Amino acid sequence: VNDVRKSESWADLKRRTLTTELRNRYSDQHDALLEAMRTRDSAKSRKLMLEHLEGISQDMERSNGMLEG
């Protein structure tokens, strides 16, 4: 994962697709996840992480479609 994140193609994709709106949403999701972890709520942490990752996947698919089309 870290090797991919260091690649120029990953950086280019981020530059072209990561909007202020998405940055804010991801930041809010990270804050909620950290709070669930601080309170040791494993069920909530798991739920929030899965929602976050699924959302990122959907955002990337949408962005990829916009880039190709």
Side-chain angles (χ1 to χ4, degrees), residues 21-65:
E21 178 185 342
L22 286 178
R23 284 179 211 257
N24 291 338
R25 182 176 357 135
Y26 297 160
S27 180
D28 291 345
Q29 291 172 345
H30 290 168
D31 290 345
L33 179 57
L34 286 172
E35 183 58 29
M37 293 169 75
R38 275 190 205 104
T39 61
R40 298 182 183 269
D41 188 336
S42 60
K44 187 172 184 177
S45 297
R46 183 178 191 281
K47 177 183 176 288
L48 291 171
M49 180 55 82
L50 289 174
E51 289 173 355
H52 177 62
L53 294 174
E54 288 170 4
I56 290 172
S57 178
Q58 291 170 1
D59 293 338
M60 290 180 76
E61 286 176 12
R62 267 193 298 276
S63 293
N64 191 39

